[in-house]
Amino acid sequence: MSLYDTVLGIIFLSQTGVGVLGNSLLLCFPFFSSHSSRLLDPILVQLTLTNTIVLLSKGCPLVNFYLGDVYFLGNLGCQMVFYFQRMSRGLAACTTCLLSIFQAVTISPSSSRLAKHKVRVLKLIRPSCLLSWIFNVIIEVNVPFHITGSKRINSSHTGGFEVLYCYWEKVLKEVTILPSLRDILCVGGMVWASGYIIVLLYRHQRKVQHIHRRSLSQKTSPEIRATQTILLLLSIFVSAYCISCSFALYKVYKIHSGDWLVVVSTFTALCFPTISPFLLIHRDTQIFRSCCASWQKPSLHS
């Protein structure tokens, strides 16, 4: 095992481990605290589960590739891993889009057009989460038909390229209309919702400046703080998503490019599911204060 493989293995092991730990903490926290339920909690729970699937399906194979058995996945293993990778990738885009749109509806002022339909729209949160699961599970069913074991153990593969530990056959035929349309609509929805939220925050800030003078004691409301957190999440997701897709597309059309493209694309794709839970824990005052209180609580035996 070379130093290069060891370093990459440790990087992906650290990234995957830290990300799974953060998402596990965020997912389990409501069950061990007095954290009150909120409208967007179902979407946040789905985002946490999706992040965990992304980390395990993308990170674990690379960790084992660089630190363990290089060709540990056969045909069936590669098919399952890539199916979960593609399904969770699409589900992450849909969930983040839902989060941005519902947050935009939640903070819309009473004078806006969205306010008239706010109650009806917010009732669609749970059905939307369920439909996003069903939709992404169905449209990625063709993925296993184009994935096999590594070409290095089966030299008969043609018409595709190797993705380190597996082989991707008939790349252009695997790219279907529905997944591409889904990605375009999700990113477009995020951009629209982000722009709408930014406009609302700007108007709110101007209104507040006319009512209150700036002072050190002035605090940001929980709604504004949550909105800022979601905007930050959206910016991280869109940036990581675009960079990862750019490297992946370059790999598709440059068959003889190096394996470093897969490494960079995967590392970038794992940044969002690794960072997002800690950002939510830190920015959410309820979670952050409860965590601090639990650490600072004196022992009964002291």
Side-chain angles (χ1 to χ4, degrees):
M1 184 184 299
S2 65
L3 179 61
Y4 174 80
D5 291 343
T6 303
V7 171
L8 287 180
I10 293 175
I11 290 175
F12 283 110
L13 178 62
S14 303
Q15 191 179 30
T16 304
V18 171
V20 171
L21 175 62
N23 284 283
S24 299
L25 291 174
L26 186 61
L27 183 63
C28 297
F29 182 80
F31 299 100
F32 300 99
S33 68
S34 58
H35 175 67
S36 57
S37 178
R38 293 169 295 185
L39 284 173
L40 297 182
D41 278 353
I43 301 180
L44 293 175
V45 170
Q46 177 168 300
L47 182 62
T48 304
L49 290 173
T50 305
N51 286 341
T52 304
I53 298 175
V54 172
L55 288 164
L56 294 178
S57 62
K58 284 182 172 289
C60 288
L62 279 178
V63 172
N64 201 78
F65 178 80
Y66 286 112
L67 297 181
D69 184 4
V70 176
Y71 309 118
F72 69 105
L73 291 174
N75 290 339
L76 181 60
C78 285
Q79 291 168 358
M80 292 180 62
V81 164
F82 268 80
Y83 175 77
F84 280 109
Q85 286 183 9
R86 293 295 299 271
M87 186 273 292
S88 59
R89 172 181 171 273
L91 186 58
C94 291
T95 305
T96 310
C97 180
L98 289 177
L99 181 63
S100 62
I101 292 176
F102 281 116
Q103 181 63 23
V105 174
T106 301
I107 66 171
S108 59
S110 57
S111 59
S112 66
R113 296 180 180 179
L114 287 177
K116 301 178 182 178
H117 310 284
K118 182 183 295 188
V119 176
R120 294 180 181 177
V121 172
L122 293 179
K123 288 181 179 180
L124 298 176
I125 291 179
R126 294 180 184 274
S128 299
C129 292
L130 179 60
L131 287 176
S132 64
W133 274 95
I134 296 174
F135 177 71
N136 284 282
V137 166
I138 292 176
I139 68 171
E140 299 292 356
V141 293
N142 65 320
V143 171
F145 296 103
H146 303 282
I147 302 296
T148 60
S150 174
K151 186 178 181 180
R152 297 171 188 174
I153 57 177
N154 187 355
S155 58
S156 63
H157 293 309
T158 58
F161 67 84
E162 192 165 12
V163 190
L164 295 180
Y165 45 85
C166 295
Y167 191 79
W168 193 354
E169 294 182 329
K170 301 177 182 178
V171 177
L172 296 180
K173 290 184 179 181
E174 195 274 337
V175 179
T176 57
I177 296 176
L178 281 179
S180 302
L181 182 61
R182 173 203 59 198
D183 294 346
I184 293 173
L185 291 176
C186 287
V187 174
M190 294 179 211
V191 173
W192 171 85
S194 300
Y196 181 75
I197 290 173
I198 291 173
V199 171
L200 290 181
L201 289 179
Y202 176 74
R203 291 177 179 176
H204 174 79
Q205 185 67 23
R206 290 187 60 183
K207 185 181 295 185
V208 168
Q209 288 178 354
H210 284 85
I211 299 175
H212 301 286
R213 293 182 178 179
R214 292 184 178 180
S215 62
L216 294 177
S217 60
Q218 187 177 349
K219 295 182 179 179
T220 306
S221 65
E223 293 80 8
I224 299 300
R225 188 177 181 87
T227 304
Q228 293 172 346
T229 301
I230 291 176
L231 279 177
L232 187 56
L233 281 176
L234 289 176
S235 63
I236 296 174
F237 180 86
V238 173
S239 300
Y241 184 85
C242 292
I243 294 173
S244 178
C245 286
S246 299
F247 280 106
L249 288 174
Y250 184 81
K251 176 68 177 178
V252 168
Y253 291 102
K254 296 291 182 179
I255 305 297
H256 300 292
S257 58
D259 292 340
W260 66 271
L261 285 171
V262 179
V263 174
V264 175
S265 176
T266 304
F267 178 83
T268 307
L270 294 181
C271 286
F272 177 78
T274 302
I275 296 173
S276 60
F278 296 100
L279 178 63
L280 288 169
I281 291 174
H282 175 69
R283 298 281 294 183
D284 193 313
T285 54
Q286 292 186 24
I287 297 179
F288 187 68
R289 288 175 181 175
S290 299
C291 288
C292 293
S294 63
W295 281 103
Q296 296 173 0
K297 187 181 296 183
S299 175
L300 295 176
H301 302 285
S302 59

